[in-house]
Amino acid sequence: MTFKVTVLGNGSAKPTIRRHHAAHALNVHEQFYLMDCGEGTQSRLIQCGINPLKLNAAFISHLHGDHVYGLFPLISSMGLMGRRTPFTVFAPAPLGEVMEYHYKYFDTNLPFAIDFREVDTRKHRCIYENSVMEVWTVPLRHRIPASGYLFREKKPGLNVRREAIERYGLGIAQITAAKRGEELIGPDGTRIPAEEITYTPYTPRSYAYCSDTMYSGKIADIVSGVNLLYHEATFADADRVLARETGHSTALQAAKTAAKAGAGRLLIGHFSSRYKDAAPLVEEARTLFPATEEAEELHTYEIPFIRYR
């Protein structure tokens, strides 16, 4: 069961030859989602072998251009490619209003519906849910309203151990009851607690996308225990005054968030164009949180499937 994220861009406001604007593509059980959509995102999707028509929804963190300018050409291209299924866009206001102008002057005959969902950047709440996953908002601290997103795989239903079925001669009705967590009564009247004969087939996985933000302990609390945390690290700690003035974090502050959250791994990105090499920022973060990596463009990071028995 797939749970992996592909980094399409990890640069900040000013594009460079080596870094593209912010965008991640998440694959959960072969369902695809887009986080932010900076300029050139559609080309990066194709370059990574991800068909834009497979995207179910886009989650936009905020309305700075380096996070949203790629959305409009992506929508146009999906129309040209023959998309007919609705496409959901989650974003802070007033993106819905901006998109209305786009439809009026550019995609006047778009062959599919856009379902725009306004995000309240002040609240932590579930905004999307399907059979395998929930998406929760993560309030960020930036110069304008901004939201991160926490993707959590749902806890799977219980399985009944095969040996228990054979030992107690369980029928279909009893197996179904055990999967609901109910206590069973054996043939001799013995009580059989569900936890003794059932197990969780796998450990639910999680990924958090925290783009432009200053350090916030509340973010760490919300994403506590996350398997993979992406956190912006626009500046080195030597430039922490500039980071605060511009509403951003340093690599060390990103590591502080990961450590406080008890994250499994940390990806850092959104690097300022002043840094030609991200290695010093990664090393800075590793002094506080060793499991830090650069969010390398065109690279896919998979969260392993851990089966329980």
Side-chain angles (χ1 to χ4, degrees):
M1 295 185 189
T2 308
F3 199 117
K4 59 186 179 182
V5 61
T6 300
V7 178
L8 306 174
N10 73 351
S12 58
K14 181 180 174 183
T16 69
I17 294 176
R18 292 183 59 248
R19 297 186 188 130
H20 293 70
H21 282 149
H24 286 191
L26 179 67
N27 178 344
V28 180
H29 298 208
E30 296 307 313
Q31 299 173 13
F32 291 84
Y33 305 91
L34 188 65
M35 275 62 65
D36 278 342
C37 193
E39 182 181 348
T41 293
Q42 62 174 324
S43 298
R44 303 295 268 182
L45 284 167
I46 295 169
Q47 193 172 351
C48 291
I50 300 172
N51 186 341
L53 295 181
K54 290 186 176 181
L55 293 172
N56 291 311
F59 295 84
I60 306 299
S61 62
H62 64 294
L63 301 194
H64 279 158
D66 56 326
H67 294 258
V68 75
Y69 280 167
L71 182 62
F72 308 103
L74 173 63
I75 288 173
S76 293
S77 293
M78 288 194 294
L80 292 173
M81 295 168 73
R83 185 182 183 112
R84 295 296 183 270
T85 56
F87 183 60
T88 306
V89 177
F90 294 87
L95 183 59
E97 180 182 344
V98 175
M99 293 178 73
E100 289 295 333
Y101 279 99
H102 176 76
Y103 307 145
K104 181 177 179 180
Y105 294 108
F106 295 96
D107 284 320
T108 55
N109 295 305
L110 196 66
F112 63 95
I114 299 291
D115 181 12
F116 177 74
R117 306 285 185 89
E118 185 175 320
V119 172
D120 187 339
T121 61
R122 301 165 298 177
K123 295 181 179 179
H124 167 55
R125 63 186 186 92
C126 183
I127 58 170
Y128 179 85
E129 180 179 7
N130 59 24
S131 61
V132 298
M133 181 186 70
E134 293 179 345
V135 184
W136 292 75
T137 51
V138 182
L140 303 179
R141 297 177 60 203
H142 194 40
R143 301 195 307 276
I144 65 172
S147 178
Y149 298 98
L150 173 62
F151 299 79
R152 287 197 182 278
E153 198 172 29
K154 287 185 174 180
K155 185 177 180 180
L158 295 173
N159 281 357
V160 179
R161 299 184 187 280
R162 181 177 299 176
E163 59 271 23
I165 296 174
E166 296 172 354
R167 182 189 316 136
Y168 295 107
L170 302 179
I172 293 176
Q174 291 172 305
I175 292 172
T176 302
K179 287 183 175 182
R180 292 196 299 263
E182 297 176 12
E183 182 181 72
L184 304 182
I185 303 298
D188 59 355
T190 303
R191 294 184 179 277
I192 309 171
E195 58 266 24
E196 289 187 9
I197 62 173
T198 60
Y199 65 96
T200 303
Y202 60 90
T203 306
R205 294 161 289 182
S206 55
Y207 155 74
Y209 178 81
C210 298
S211 67
D212 300 20
T213 184
M214 294 185 287
Y215 172 77
S216 168
K218 291 182 179 180
I219 293 175
D221 293 338
I222 290 173
V223 304
S224 177
V226 69
N227 294 111
L228 181 64
L229 169 64
Y230 170 80
H231 195 290
E232 73 117 299
T234 307
F235 297 102
D237 201 56
D239 294 316
R240 57 185 175 276
V241 174
L242 180 58
R244 184 171 184 81
E245 290 175 349
T246 56
H248 289 293
S249 292
T250 69
L252 202 61
Q253 289 169 336
K256 184 179 178 181
T257 299
K260 188 175 188 295
R265 297 157 65 194
L266 170 65
L267 299 180
I268 58 173
H270 199 265
F271 305 119
S272 167
S273 60
R274 70 181 57 207
Y275 307 111
K276 306 307 178 187
D277 183 4
L281 281 79
V282 173
E283 291 306 313
E284 179 177 282
R286 284 177 176 170
T287 63
L288 185 58
F289 191 80
T292 300
E293 303 172 58
E294 175 186 354
E296 185 178 341
E297 295 194 10
L298 306 182
H299 187 78
T300 297
Y301 300 84
E302 186 158 6
I303 302 175
F305 178 80
I306 302 176
R307 187 181 299 276
Y308 272 6
R309 279 289 180 183

